[in-house]
Structures are given as structure tokens and as C-alpha cells.
Amino acid sequence: MEKEAPCQDQRWGSMQQGQQQQQMQPQQGGSNDASEAEEPSRPPARFLREPPNLKLPNLHPLTPDDDIEHFLTTFERIATVGRWNREDWTIHLVPLLTGEARSAYVAMEIEHSNDYHKVKESILTKYEITANTYHQCFSSLDIQRW
């Protein structure tokens, strides 16, 4: 046991020395290699965070009782929070469509069927929801002054 103590002390000392050298390298500017000098500085690793592993709620298929606008808004918010690639939104949406919404998708031209915004526009048109619908709704409001 007495023989092990000096060896452990020596190993401990060399470990501490190695750590001190590693800590000193960034402060001294690293090596003189030109490729490292051009590399932009990065924040310390403790400041870089990976996005949290989010468990997204199960998306349920559209039902006849669902408001299509609320359904699509909820879908978009989940896709945004889940950081889905926008090009993949249609792939996630189509299996959830039923009834009129599904028929609007099926009736689309094949080259537009992967564009989420065109799919959404087609669905809303099928439900007769357009910019004009919003305009008529807003115009019909009776605004009273106090």
C-alpha cells in the first residue's frame, strides 16, 4: 500500500498538469496553424444546448365536428414547435385528412400536392373559406361606439 501512494500521487499530479495545460491553450490562442486562426470563435460548450427532446402530442384525424381552420392552426403550431421541416408538413398532414379535406387533396394536381400552403389553400377553398369570407365576416360586424 505504501508503494501505491507515490504512484497515485504521481498520476494525480500528471492529470492535474494535463488539465491545466488544456485550460491554458484557448487563452494562449492555440497553435499557429493558419486554418485554426480563420475559424470563428465559438461559445464554450456549456452555452451550447441541444433542443430538448419534445414528446409531441398524438395528432388525431380530422372529424366532421372539427373546425377546419382550428384543425390546421393546431397542426401548424405542433409542426412549428416540433421543428418539422416545412417540406415535410404535407407528409404529416395528409394521413390526418378525412372527408371533404381529403377529397380536396385528392383533387389537386400532383405537382402541387407536396406544397403545404397549396394543400391548405385547396382545403379551405373546398370548405368555402377564402379571403372574401373573412372580409364579409368582418364587414358584417356591428361595431358600437361607447
Side-chain angles (χ1 to χ4, degrees):
M1 187 157 189
E2 288 179 23
K3 290 182 180 179
E4 289 181 22
C7 289
Q8 287 178 348
D9 289 340
Q10 186 179 13
R11 278 186 253 155
W12 176 252
S14 64
M15 282 177 37
Q16 285 180 324
Q17 187 178 12
Q19 284 180 335
Q20 288 173 352
Q21 287 176 349
Q22 286 178 346
Q23 290 173 352
M24 296 295 285
Q25 278 182 336
Q27 294 172 356
Q28 295 173 350
S31 68
N32 293 334
D33 189 13
S35 65
E36 285 184 25
E38 293 174 11
E39 190 173 310
S41 63
R42 293 180 152 190
R46 68 179 179 268
F47 294 118
L48 299 175
R49 289 187 350 191
E50 289 294 317
N53 255 347
L54 297 175
K55 174 123 172 94
L56 296 177
N58 289 336
L59 294 170
H60 298 285
L62 179 67
T63 66
D65 295 333
D66 286 332
D67 179 306
I68 189 63
E69 292 175 287
H70 290 175
F71 182 84
L72 292 171
T73 300
T74 301
F75 174 84
E76 291 170 3
R77 288 182 182 177
I78 288 173
T80 302
V81 168
R83 296 182 181 164
W84 295 349
N85 193 351
R86 284 201 189 269
E87 290 85 37
D88 297 338
W89 283 20
T90 304
I91 295 168
H92 292 285
L93 175 66
V94 171
L96 304 173
L97 299 178
T98 59
E100 286 187 58
R102 175 68 66 99
S103 66
Y105 175 76
V106 171
M108 290 182 69
E109 306 243 352
I110 190 80
E111 61 267 7
H112 298 298
S113 64
N114 198 32
D115 182 337
Y116 175 78
H117 292 291
K118 290 186 180 190
V119 170
K120 178 181 176 180
E121 181 181 317
S122 177
I123 292 169
L124 292 175
T125 301
K126 182 76 170 182
Y127 281 83
E128 299 177 355
I129 300 170
T130 62
N132 194 32
T133 307
Y134 290 114
H135 178 71
Q136 288 173 353
C137 208
F138 183 75
S139 298
S140 68
L141 292 176
D142 185 22
I143 301 174
Q144 297 176 351
R145 293 187 177 222
W146 293 73

